[in-house]
Amino acid sequence: MRLSHPTLKKLLILAVALWPVMVSAAHPNLVITANDIEVMRSAIKDEGRFYDAYKQRQHTIDAVIATDPAVPVPKDGGGGYTHEQHKKNYQAMYTAAIMYQLNQQQKYADFVRNMLLDYAELYPTLDVHPKRKENSQNPGKLFWQSLNEAMWLVYTIQAYDLIHDALDAEQRQKIEQQLLRPVAIFLSEGQPSTFNKVHNHGTWATAGVGMTGYVLDEPEWVEKALYGLDKSGKGGFIRQLDELFSPQGYYTEGPYYQRFALLPFVTFARAVDHNEPGRELFEHRDSVLLKAIDTTIQLSYNGLFYPINDAIKSKGIDTIELVHGVAAAYAQTNDPAYLDIAKRQNRIVLTGDGVRVSNAIEKGLVTPYPFKSVAFGDGRDGDQGALVIMREKQDAEQALLFKAASQGLGHGHFDKLTWQFYDKGQEIVSDYGAARFLNVEAKFGGRYLPENESYAKQTVSHNTVVIDQTSHFNGDVDTGNKQWPTLTLFEKNQFGTVSRGTIDTAYPDVTLTRTLALVNLPGLSRTIAVDVFFVDAAKKHQIDLPLHYQGQFISADFTYEPNTASLAPLGKRAGYQHLWLTASATPEPGIAKVTWLNENGRFYTLSNLIDEQETLLFAQTGANDPQFNLRNEKSLIRRRENSQQHTFVSVLEPHGEYNPGDEYTINADSDLTTLDYSVDGALTLVQVGIAGHDYLIAIATESLSFPHSFRYHSHDFELQSRFAVYPLNNHQE
Amino acid sequence: MRLSHPTLKKLLILAVALWPVMVSAAHPNLVITANDIEVMRSAIKDEGRFYDAYKQRQHTIDAVIATDPAVPVPKDGGGGYTHEQHKKNYQAMYTAAIMYQLNQQQKYADFVRNMLLDYAELYPTLDVHPKRKENSQNPGKLFWQSLNEAMWLVYTIQAYDLIHDALDAEQRQKIEQQLLRPVAIFLSEGQPSTFNKVHNHGTWATAGVGMTGYVLDEPEWVEKALYGLDKSGKGGFIRQLDELFSPQGYYTEGPYYQRFALLPFVTFARAVDHNEPGRELFEHRDSVLLKAIDTTIQLSYNGLFYPINDAIKSKGIDTIELVHGVAAAYAQTNDPAYLDIAKRQNRIVLTGDGVRVSNAIEKGLVTPYPFKSVAFGDGRDGDQGALVIMREKQDAEQALLFKAASQGLGHGHFDKLTWQFYDKGQEIVSDYGAARFLNVEAKFGGRYLPENESYAKQTVSHNTVVIDQTSHFNGDVDTGNKQWPTLTLFEKNQFGTVSRGTIDTAYPDVTLTRTLALVNLPGLSRTIAVDVFFVDAAKKHQIDLPLHYQGQFISADFTYEPNTASLAPLGKRAGYQHLWLTASATPEPGIAKVTWLNENGRFYTLSNLIDEQETLLFAQTGANDPQFNLRNEKSLIRRRENSQQHTFVSVLEPHGEYNPGDEYTINADSDLTTLDYSVDGALTLVQVGIAGHDYLIAIATESLSFPHSFRYHSHDFELQSRFAVYPLNNHQE
């Protein structure tokens, strides 16, 4: 049948008349779908984790609603009143909107509606924020930076979607025309450099704008969010997925920023999945988004993220971004190991995914999450160095982080080949993290402190070699971004894990090569860390190897000169100006031990193989810190003056227990008695005598054909892979 | 009937023949009785707390037995191998003996028997310990000091009592003659000065010897234990009960030593109760022993004891001594509030009392333990000053400790009228505690460090006034022991708690008078601490008021001169030599604020009312500490030079929240806007403006007749008791 024009026209009129109804039927349909709502409503009928989360959130939001929160004219920077109020507001709208869908009480919809209408009145009156940075490319209007504005939109558009059907046409019109459209346009066309940027700021912007496109039926916005303003794919969400993660799902800025970046990725990907499942964002690039969620979990120890680069140390797996991430990962994969993480997070999100996680935990489906030793290749193709994590749990949960990764952009630190060590729940060999008091106005407006540049980013604040008191890449981030170490070894087996990295661009004429191993000692049920750091230069330099430790100094087995009557800074620049020199020593050649006691009640001894030219310096942060911005932490610096080649060999040995509560102390002294180091062709050989046992640790620094035979002290050994530990006593019997 | 001599003789022979059997029937009968054994055996038939404790201890003791522990020839001091081994051995014998009674497995009796026989071989060969202190009055043989030997006996005699019936006569003979008798005689007749000493060392000795008297049927030893070697009552356990505790059950050395002293008191008293209930030791002196247990609990915050005097900070209510104490207190009183503490201890002792506690908790009988604001009178009669605890919980658990107590013997600190403040689980205004790494050989043999004398005991390491950089009583403990402050006010009501103490003997010509209040602010649901410290001297002095705070310095609202390029010690003696001067300031007269951030995530601002002659010094411990024995902590010192009279007024205000995990910071700035201080006759008046509210805090420093009328700023007020808070805004309306 062929329709006459008038009929067609009538049908079109009918269709247009029906259009709002059809759209209406599709709300909500971002992270939470109409189907989810049914599941969620059903879930709160019975007691359980989801019900508890619901009641707790309801309690919170009721308290917020009771205060009748303001929508103030933007005035303050981060941490200030208006900044925090607008942050609270978008969270309140989001929570109230979910409440409305869950229990259908009108007051929640009214709360969101009224606040949206207030914003719709306010927004058209605003210019860019008075507290924006000078010459900023990305000011906000509600906030000093558009990053917060994008976050506001990510939450607010979901709130709007959830109460959409509770609004009348006039209200929708006003909210969309005066608020949501202007915000989306401001964050896209209004700030092309941010919107198109392959960076987490860009991810928040594209996620917010893209979701607004679905809700306001602007498919063009979705296209722009996915492929950049010019839809070329040079910018946009897909490009971000392609560029920002390595093939294993590692994000070059490190886990602190990775978890932050995750939320808009996961949120928008779920929304796209629900609206246009054919786009298969979760499957994109061999499921890189799921890998990114998983990698974020792997990059944690005892619930906290490894604090590499500009990281604030208290962030961990219970961060709300990763709670959403884990819920999404479980929904996508049904992998019960994610339930283990969800249990540890002890937070359930009020979404359909939250119900699925909650139900699965209650059904007892949890299996232990497998934390692994793994080398995460860095960079888009995973070939720009690697972040290496080694894990053991012989007598307590241990981890060794080896940062043979690339610079990590503007938040990266100049810490090529640094390491960190964790044991029994605590940092032992530590990284300062970021120098920042987030949102504390009195501390430099809550932004990164000046000491973040002058100390926390500098090489000496890390546990890696500094040449001539100058940071890697001379502290230049652009240079740093172009260079990275090469990972030449990563091997794990029953003996533990070993890795080796090298870089010849951190300094013009110097090659740095470090081998780190987390070694199980057969027959002792103990694990030690072995560090061999080879410095090879074209001319002579001052070579420093600092180690920052957490704990109270207990003893050194050599004579040192403490500075008891006055303190002076260790140097003038590159972070050295922030270190008070508290003692110095020139130990006898041989093993020089330093022991400290961590708050976990265990002792740690660093045994250093020292030659006659090495000095040891003890330092403490705090010099040239006129506003007391730095924490006072301790370090030990091995120094060799005027050297062209040098190998620093050391062993870190956890031992004993200090238990003043139950009044006992055991094994407070190191058990290490011998430490020898030699090189035999491609083999690095470290002999360790400890607690009456002798071990030979053999590491092949190049690929060999295995089995590979070698002799050591007149005995024959056979290497089956690139890493082995031989009990020498047994061998000699 | 009259018995003929031959018959009588036969009966006597019969009686003697029966005697071992009769004694045998009475084993065990110290803390654990034969009846208890029945209860305990029954309790392990069902799952529950007691069963769990049993299985856990069995697991532990089985592991110990598997190692076949040595009974080494004594050689090492505290923390050394033989010292720790002998400590482990008595604990192992005690635990194994209980195991034997619980499950009647012969291997446990065998273990204890063999070890006792080993000791019986060793002990007769021993002279006093090689590591005893020179000229020591109280060396041990197994240990460097007899205190440990007495502890050994307290545990070992109980172990022997528990396996007594599993031994044959020859074994008993050998163990009693070669070991238990000699140890008991060594600790009594062998060391009369320690045995008769009214001191916790004496309590351990008398408890050990007295219990041995019961088990070995030597009633004379019991008499000596109770009344001293000469049985005059001048020494011995009863005298200790009379002298060592105040009528409220406060032990003058403070809670750290109180909990330590508790165990022998409680243990021996239970043993006496079971053998000779008529002695009524628990009822003695109006039940002072039960009061002592209760007071020990009151002297804790967030599970840890207030660290006054030589206290190691990690000791708390879960210490084994208090676990026994709480079990005994519950057994004696059936007060269900003790079950709350037992639950928090999360440890159940394997005794009859342990069963009673476990069963009661499982029956759900727990009621909340009432932590109170209380002034604990110090000294035998409770009139030698007082230790004052104030508590509030408006928005978080808070406590203020005011130490208007006496010196506290040799472990006492020179800290008259010092205070400490606790909030939200953490120390905020803190005390250094003891400078000691318990049993860590490398740290001065694990004993009190030299810095305990040179810093931790000195006045400047506390939060109280120092005159002319000289400690109270010029640091002389004998002088200190003879003097104490007078508590002139302690009042608690709905406005909070206030207390006032004064002492005119800490310095020859100076009277120190401090008023401290923990004040609830009506209408704000907030609590602040108010401090008014009046110094009145006959001639001019340098007057310092230090405050040691826990946290990261955030800001000061005045200009200060930081020492960024070099640090020097603040003084030469009395602890000042250990403080680096990090900054100094001469603020404008008015309010000078210092804000810090504690690890509990809350901000704290100390607002000081400053006149034109005051300077403020910022300091950090660590100077003149050649072995890095001190923790690096921060302090703020208010200094007034050349002054005869001065009143330091300050307000400590908890505020806001720093939550980098959830990325928000609220109320990081102090809300205090005005602070005024005046005296009107016997009234101390402090006006505080905070967060838009104005309050008048009125404290009557003398007894008045109430109601008492007064005028303030042209308004009339009426005081109903010695402490009130008036909202001024309301009043003026």
Side-chain angles (χ1 to χ4, degrees):
Chain A
M1 189 180 104
R2 219 173 138 239
L3 289 171
S4 65
H5 276 293
T7 313
L8 187 60
K9 204 172 170 188
K10 274 182 199 156
L11 274 173
L12 279 170
I13 289 164
L14 185 65
V16 170
L18 280 170
W19 179 78
V21 179
M22 290 160 65
V23 169
S24 168
H27 295 281
N29 199 30
L30 292 172
V31 173
I32 299 173
T33 64
N35 272 343
D36 285 337
I37 294 296
E38 294 313 307
V39 171
M40 290 159 69
R41 286 181 188 163
S42 159
I44 60 170
K45 287 188 188 135
D46 299 312
E47 301 219 338
R49 281 166 189 265
F50 192 83
Y51 174 83
D52 292 343
Y54 158 63
K55 292 312 281 183
Q56 187 241 311
R57 296 294 287 280
Q58 186 180 34
H59 182 77
T60 307
I61 192 63
D62 285 352
V64 171
I65 292 173
T67 65
D68 192 14
V71 176
V73 175
K75 191 167 73 67
D76 305 320
Y81 162 68
T82 69
H83 180 92
E84 295 303 317
Q85 190 58 46
H86 288 298
K87 278 171 65 181
K88 282 182 202 157
N89 284 351
Y90 67 67
Q91 283 155 352
M93 286 191 284
Y94 174 74
T95 304
I98 291 176
M99 278 302 136
Y100 169 67
Q101 285 288 358
L102 276 168
N103 60 26
Q104 293 150 287
Q105 290 179 27
Q106 188 60 32
K107 67 170 179 179
Y108 297 112
D110 291 349
F111 171 78
V112 180
R113 181 197 63 218
N114 293 344
M115 189 172 273
L116 286 170
L117 289 170
D118 285 351
Y119 272 106
E121 289 295 328
L122 176 68
Y123 202 77
T125 71
L126 299 179
D127 199 352
V128 286
H129 195 280
K131 283 282 170 71
R132 68 191 177 279
K133 278 194 211 163
E134 241 180 292
N135 301 319
S136 170
Q137 297 298 300
N138 52 2
K141 289 185 170 183
L142 296 167
F143 299 91
W144 66 277
Q145 61 171 349
S146 65
L147 170 63
N148 296 102
E149 201 116 329
M151 293 171 78
W152 181 95
L153 183 59
V154 165
Y155 283 91
T156 303
I157 191 61
Q158 294 184 78
Y160 178 71
D161 186 37
L162 286 157
I163 67 146
H164 179 278
D165 295 357
L167 300 173
D168 64 29
E170 191 188 340
Q171 290 160 345
R172 285 180 205 157
Q173 163 86 2
K174 183 169 177 186
I175 292 166
E176 293 184 8
Q177 296 302 326
Q178 291 179 214
L179 181 64
L180 299 174
R181 281 177 185 275
V183 173
I185 288 165
F186 174 70
L187 291 173
S188 53
E189 309 293 340
Q191 300 202 341
S193 68
T194 303
F195 188 80
N196 285 333
K197 200 172 182 181
V198 182
H199 183 277
N200 76 65
H201 290 202
T203 314
W204 283 99
T206 51
V209 171
M211 292 202 296
T212 308
Y214 282 125
V215 178
L216 270 55
D217 199 30
E218 291 282 5
E220 194 71 349
W221 294 4
V222 176
E223 284 300 306
K224 287 177 178 175
L226 290 170
Y227 297 105
L229 281 178
D230 65 0
K231 298 185 277 179
S232 69
K234 283 182 201 153
F237 194 84
I238 302 285
R239 181 80 192 283
Q240 289 158 8
L241 270 180
D242 288 343
E243 294 278 332
L244 291 180
F245 298 106
S246 77
Q248 287 162 285
Y250 175 68
Y251 179 67
T252 191
E253 290 190 291
Y256 178 81
Y257 282 90
Q258 174 147 354
R259 65 81 213 165
F260 180 64
L262 264 186
L263 187 60
F265 274 115
V266 170
T267 302
F268 189 39
R270 286 298 270 166
V272 172
D273 235 26
H274 291 144
N275 283 277
E276 302 176 83
R279 291 198 190 258
E280 296 192 330
L281 291 195
F282 278 100
E283 287 73 29
H284 184 75
R285 211 185 153 204
D286 199 16
S287 302
V288 74
L289 194 45
L290 290 171
K291 287 179 181 166
I293 296 169
D294 197 67
T295 295
T296 313
I297 299 167
Q298 289 287 351
L299 292 179
S300 67
Y301 176 81
N302 195 20
L304 297 177
F305 296 128
Y306 294 110
I308 59 169
N309 299 331
D310 279 346
I312 288 175
K313 287 190 169 182
S314 44
K315 279 280 186 194
I317 58 167
D318 63 348
T319 188
I320 190 65
E321 295 93 341
L322 197 54
V323 178
H324 281 281
V326 166
Y330 181 69
Q332 292 277 340
T333 65
N334 282 316
D335 181 343
Y338 290 122
L339 301 174
D340 183 11
I341 301 302
K343 253 184 106 168
R344 298 188 204 200
Q345 290 171 330
N346 202 22
R347 285 170 103 160
I348 293 286
V349 284
L350 295 182
T351 64
D353 294 346
V355 176
R356 287 178 270 280
V357 164
S358 170
N359 288 347
I361 291 176
E362 272 152 27
K363 276 186 201 147
L365 300 181
V366 181
T367 62
Y369 180 84
F371 285 101
K372 295 176 209 157
S373 294
V374 49
F376 292 101
D378 198 354
R380 185 210 144 111
D381 299 318
D383 56 1
Q384 301 182 356
L387 184 71
V388 176
I389 308 293
M390 311 181 187
R391 294 185 184 261
E392 290 297 335
K393 42 171 154 191
Q394 288 256 40
D395 53 0
E397 207 87 21
Q398 289 184 324
L400 190 159
L401 176 148
F402 177 35
K403 190 171 181 243
S406 52
Q407 183 67 22
L409 311 178
H411 289 298
H413 287 195
F414 300 99
D415 61 353
K416 302 302 103 180
L417 309 183
T418 190
W419 70 305
Q420 299 170 25
F421 182 71
Y422 297 79
D423 187 35
K424 222 180 149 189
Q426 296 293 326
E427 293 179 292
I428 309 303
V429 174
S430 63
D431 193 296
Y432 192 88
R436 182 182 189 186
F437 293 91
L438 192 74
N439 292 346
V440 178
E441 191 72 32
K443 284 296 194 197
F444 208 65
R447 301 190 297 279
Y448 289 101
L449 293 160
E451 290 75 14
N452 194 56
E453 287 296 321
S454 64
Y455 182 69
K457 280 189 172 178
Q458 301 297 324
T459 307
V460 74
S461 84
H462 302 84
N463 308 300
T464 186
V465 158
V466 190
I467 300 290
D468 297 335
Q469 302 191 27
T470 303
S471 286
H472 297 168
F473 311 117
N474 200 17
D476 182 66
V477 69
D478 292 332
T479 312
N481 277 335
K482 291 177 200 134
Q483 310 293 349
W484 43 81
T486 306
L487 197 77
T488 59
L489 168 61
F490 176 80
E491 178 92 19
K492 57 179 175 176
N493 56 35
Q494 75 270 34
F495 305 116
T497 307
V498 64
S499 188
R500 181 176 167 101
T502 187
I503 184 165
D504 60 6
T505 51
Y507 296 100
D509 74 328
V510 184
T511 300
L512 306 175
T513 305
R514 189 173 219 167
T515 308
L516 276 162
L518 191 60
V519 180
N520 296 325
L521 299 176
L524 271 184
S525 296
R526 287 175 65 168
T527 304
I528 58 172
V530 175
D531 180 21
V532 178
F533 203 135
F534 176 52
V535 181
D536 185 14
K539 52 184 198 292
K540 292 185 173 178
H541 296 282
Q542 183 193 68
I543 309 175
D544 284 353
L545 177 55
L547 181 125
H548 300 264
Y549 65 89
Q550 293 290 329
Q552 174 79 30
F553 173 87
I554 292 294
S555 61
D557 73 343
F558 50 86
T559 308
Y560 55 90
E561 291 295 321
N563 295 321
T564 57
S566 71
L567 290 185
L570 187 52
K572 301 209 159 153
R573 50 183 295 280
Y576 282 77
Q577 73 275 24
H578 291 298
L579 293 169
W580 296 116
L581 177 64
T582 55
S584 53
T586 310
E588 294 291 307
I591 302 171
K593 293 183 176 183
V594 174
T595 301
W596 65 93
L597 170 62
N598 185 269
E599 65 174 291
N600 67 10
R602 191 173 275 192
F603 298 90
Y604 297 87
T605 294
L606 185 77
S607 293
N608 302 288
L609 203 55
I610 300 267
D611 66 19
E612 60 286 339
Q613 291 173 63
E614 227 180 276
T615 54
L616 289 181
L617 309 174
F618 294 81
Q620 184 180 324
T621 43
N624 285 297
D625 180 17
Q627 299 182 290
F628 303 111
N629 283 338
L630 291 171
R631 299 189 303 271
N632 300 123
E633 302 195 339
K634 309 281 170 51
S635 53
L636 173 73
I637 300 177
R638 295 178 68 172
R639 171 169 290 182
R640 208 161 182 281
E641 300 280 5
N642 223 5
S643 299
Q644 225 175 308
Q645 276 84 31
H646 187 58
T647 302
F648 294 100
V649 177
S650 58
V651 166
L652 180 66
E653 169 199 2
H655 55 93
E657 185 182 355
Y658 179 61
N659 191 329
D662 284 343
E663 295 200 347
Y664 65 84
T665 298
I666 48 175
N667 212 14
D669 295 322
S670 157
D671 289 312
L672 185 139
T673 47
T674 53
L675 175 57
D676 281 307
Y677 164 73
S678 56
V679 173
D680 174 7
L683 295 185
T684 284
L685 300 168
V686 178
Q687 185 181 338
V688 177
I690 187 165
H693 294 243
D694 262 290
Y695 300 97
L696 177 64
I697 301 162
I699 300 162
T701 55
E702 293 167 18
S703 284
L704 301 169
S705 61
F706 298 105
H708 172 86
S709 298
F710 67 99
R711 280 182 76 76
Y712 182 79
H713 289 192
S714 320
H715 290 278
D716 291 317
F717 294 85
E718 203 175 67
L719 203 50
Q720 303 298 331
S721 73
R722 292 182 69 179
F723 176 42
V725 179
Y726 306 95
L728 286 181
N729 327 42
N730 299 351
H731 188 86
Q732 286 160 352
E733 273 159 18
Chain B
M1 188 179 104
R2 220 171 136 234
L3 290 169
S4 66
H5 275 293
T7 314
L8 187 61
K9 205 171 167 187
K10 273 180 198 157
L11 274 173
L12 280 170
I13 289 163
L14 186 66
V16 170
L18 281 170
W19 182 77
V21 179
M22 290 158 66
V23 170
S24 167
H27 295 280
N29 199 32
L30 292 173
V31 173
I32 298 174
T33 65
N35 272 343
D36 285 338
I37 295 297
E38 295 314 307
V39 172
M40 291 159 68
R41 285 180 188 162
S42 160
I44 60 170
K45 287 186 187 136
D46 301 312
E47 300 218 340
R49 281 167 189 263
F50 192 83
Y51 175 84
D52 291 344
Y54 159 64
K55 293 313 279 184
Q56 187 241 311
R57 296 293 288 280
Q58 185 179 35
H59 183 77
T60 308
I61 191 64
D62 284 352
V64 171
I65 292 173
T67 66
D68 192 13
V71 176
V73 175
K75 191 166 73 67
D76 304 321
Y81 162 67
T82 69
H83 180 91
E84 295 302 318
Q85 190 58 47
H86 289 298
K87 277 171 65 180
K88 283 183 202 157
N89 284 351
Y90 67 67
Q91 284 154 350
M93 287 192 284
Y94 174 74
T95 304
I98 291 175
M99 278 302 138
Y100 170 65
Q101 285 288 358
L102 277 168
N103 60 25
Q104 292 151 288
Q105 290 179 28
Q106 188 59 32
K107 68 171 179 178
Y108 297 111
D110 292 349
F111 171 78
V112 180
R113 181 197 63 217
N114 293 344
M115 189 172 273
L116 285 170
L117 289 169
D118 284 353
Y119 271 106
E121 289 294 329
L122 175 69
Y123 202 78
T125 70
L126 300 179
D127 199 352
V128 286
H129 195 279
K131 282 282 169 70
R132 68 189 177 281
K133 279 194 209 164
E134 241 179 292
N135 303 320
S136 169
Q137 296 297 302
N138 52 1
K141 289 183 169 185
L142 295 167
F143 299 92
W144 67 277
Q145 60 171 351
S146 65
L147 169 62
N148 295 102
E149 202 114 328
M151 295 170 77
W152 182 94
L153 184 58
V154 165
Y155 283 92
T156 303
I157 192 61
Q158 294 183 77
Y160 178 71
D161 187 38
L162 287 157
I163 67 146
H164 179 277
D165 296 356
L167 301 173
D168 64 30
E170 191 188 342
Q171 290 162 345
R172 285 181 205 157
Q173 164 86 2
K174 185 170 176 183
I175 291 164
E176 293 185 7
Q177 296 302 327
Q178 290 179 215
L179 180 65
L180 299 174
R181 281 177 185 276
V183 172
I185 289 165
F186 175 69
L187 291 174
S188 53
E189 308 294 338
Q191 298 202 344
S193 68
T194 305
F195 189 79
N196 286 331
K197 200 172 182 181
V198 182
H199 183 277
N200 76 65
H201 289 202
T203 314
W204 282 99
T206 52
V209 171
M211 292 201 297
T212 308
Y214 283 124
V215 178
L216 269 55
D217 198 30
E218 291 282 3
E220 194 69 350
W221 294 4
V222 176
E223 284 298 307
K224 286 178 178 173
L226 290 169
Y227 296 105
L229 281 179
D230 64 1
K231 297 184 279 180
S232 69
K234 283 182 203 152
F237 194 83
I238 301 285
R239 181 79 192 281
Q240 288 159 8
L241 271 179
D242 288 342
E243 294 277 330
L244 291 180
F245 298 105
S246 78
Q248 288 162 285
Y250 175 68
Y251 180 65
T252 190
E253 290 191 291
Y256 178 81
Y257 282 89
Q258 174 147 355
R259 65 79 214 164
F260 180 64
L262 263 187
L263 186 61
F265 274 115
V266 169
T267 302
F268 190 39
R270 286 298 271 165
V272 172
D273 235 26
H274 290 143
N275 284 276
E276 302 175 84
R279 291 196 190 259
E280 296 192 329
L281 291 195
F282 278 100
E283 286 74 29
H284 184 76
R285 213 186 152 204
D286 199 17
S287 302
V288 72
L289 194 45
L290 290 171
K291 287 178 179 166
I293 296 168
D294 198 67
T295 295
T296 313
I297 300 166
Q298 289 287 351
L299 292 178
S300 68
Y301 176 82
N302 193 19
L304 296 178
F305 296 127
Y306 293 111
I308 58 169
N309 299 330
D310 278 347
I312 290 175
K313 288 191 170 181
S314 44
K315 278 282 185 192
I317 58 167
D318 64 346
T319 187
I320 189 66
E321 296 92 341
L322 197 54
V323 178
H324 281 281
V326 166
Y330 181 69
Q332 292 278 338
T333 65
N334 283 316
D335 181 343
Y338 290 122
L339 302 173
D340 183 12
I341 302 301
K343 253 183 107 169
R344 298 188 202 199
Q345 290 172 330
N346 201 21
R347 286 170 101 160
I348 293 286
V349 284
L350 296 182
T351 64
D353 295 346
V355 176
R356 287 179 270 280
V357 165
S358 169
N359 288 346
I361 291 175
E362 273 152 26
K363 277 186 201 145
L365 300 181
V366 181
T367 61
Y369 180 83
F371 285 100
K372 295 176 210 160
S373 295
V374 49
F376 292 102
D378 197 354
R380 185 209 146 113
D381 298 318
D383 55 1
Q384 301 183 358
L387 184 71
V388 176
I389 309 294
M390 311 181 188
R391 292 185 185 262
E392 290 298 334
K393 41 172 157 188
Q394 288 255 43
D395 53 359
E397 207 86 22
Q398 289 183 326
L400 190 160
L401 176 148
F402 177 34
K403 190 170 179 242
S406 52
Q407 182 67 22
L409 310 178
H411 289 299
H413 287 194
F414 300 99
D415 61 353
K416 301 303 101 178
L417 309 184
T418 190
W419 71 303
Q420 300 171 25
F421 183 71
Y422 297 79
D423 187 36
K424 222 181 149 191
Q426 295 292 326
E427 294 179 292
I428 308 303
V429 174
S430 63
D431 193 295
Y432 191 88
R436 183 182 188 185
F437 293 91
L438 192 74
N439 293 345
V440 178
E441 191 71 32
K443 283 296 194 197
F444 208 65
R447 300 190 297 278
Y448 288 101
L449 294 160
E451 290 75 15
N452 194 56
E453 286 296 322
S454 64
Y455 182 69
K457 280 189 172 179
Q458 301 297 322
T459 307
V460 73
S461 84
H462 302 85
N463 309 300
T464 186
V465 158
V466 191
I467 300 289
D468 297 335
Q469 303 194 26
T470 303
S471 285
H472 297 168
F473 311 118
N474 200 16
D476 182 64
V477 69
D478 292 332
T479 311
N481 278 333
K482 291 177 200 133
Q483 309 294 348
W484 43 82
T486 306
L487 197 77
T488 58
L489 168 62
F490 176 80
E491 178 93 20
K492 56 178 175 177
N493 55 35
Q494 76 270 32
F495 305 116
T497 307
V498 65
S499 188
R500 180 176 168 101
T502 186
I503 184 165
D504 60 5
T505 52
Y507 296 100
D509 74 328
V510 184
T511 301
L512 306 175
T513 304
R514 187 173 221 168
T515 308
L516 277 161
L518 192 59
V519 180
N520 296 325
L521 299 176
L524 270 183
S525 295
R526 287 174 66 169
T527 304
I528 57 171
V530 176
D531 181 20
V532 178
F533 203 134
F534 176 52
V535 182
D536 183 14
K539 50 184 200 289
K540 292 184 173 180
H541 295 283
Q542 184 194 69
I543 309 175
D544 284 355
L545 177 55
L547 181 127
H548 300 264
Y549 65 88
Q550 293 290 328
Q552 175 80 30
F553 173 87
I554 293 294
S555 62
D557 72 344
F558 50 87
T559 308
Y560 55 89
E561 291 295 320
N563 295 321
T564 57
S566 72
L567 290 185
L570 187 52
K572 302 212 158 150
R573 50 183 295 278
Y576 283 77
Q577 73 276 24
H578 291 297
L579 293 169
W580 296 115
L581 177 65
T582 55
S584 52
T586 310
E588 294 291 308
I591 301 170
K593 293 183 177 183
V594 174
T595 301
W596 66 93
L597 170 61
N598 186 268
E599 64 174 293
N600 67 10
R602 190 173 279 193
F603 298 90
Y604 297 87
T605 295
L606 185 76
S607 294
N608 302 287
L609 202 56
I610 300 267
D611 66 18
E612 59 286 339
Q613 292 174 62
E614 229 181 272
T615 54
L616 289 181
L617 309 173
F618 294 81
Q620 184 180 324
T621 43
N624 286 297
D625 179 17
Q627 299 182 290
F628 304 110
N629 284 338
L630 292 171
R631 300 190 302 271
N632 300 123
E633 302 195 340
K634 309 279 170 49
S635 53
L636 172 73
I637 300 178
R638 294 178 68 171
R639 172 168 290 181
R640 208 161 183 279
E641 300 281 5
N642 224 7
S643 299
Q644 227 176 302
Q645 275 83 31
H646 188 57
T647 303
F648 295 100
V649 176
S650 58
V651 165
L652 180 65
E653 170 200 0
H655 56 93
E657 185 181 355
Y658 179 62
N659 192 329
D662 283 342
E663 293 199 349
Y664 64 84
T665 298
I666 48 174
N667 212 13
D669 295 321
S670 158
D671 288 312
L672 186 138
T673 46
T674 52
L675 176 56
D676 281 307
Y677 164 72
S678 57
V679 172
D680 174 6
L683 295 184
T684 285
L685 300 169
V686 178
Q687 186 182 337
V688 178
I690 187 165
H693 294 243
D694 262 290
Y695 300 97
L696 177 64
I697 300 162
I699 300 162
T701 55
E702 292 167 20
S703 282
L704 300 170
S705 61
F706 298 106
H708 173 87
S709 298
F710 67 99
R711 281 181 76 76
Y712 181 78
H713 289 191
S714 320
H715 289 280
D716 291 316
F717 294 86
E718 202 175 67
L719 202 51
Q720 302 298 333
S721 73
R722 293 183 69 179
F723 177 41
V725 179
Y726 306 94
L728 286 181
N729 326 43
N730 298 351
H731 188 84
Q732 285 160 350
E733 273 160 17

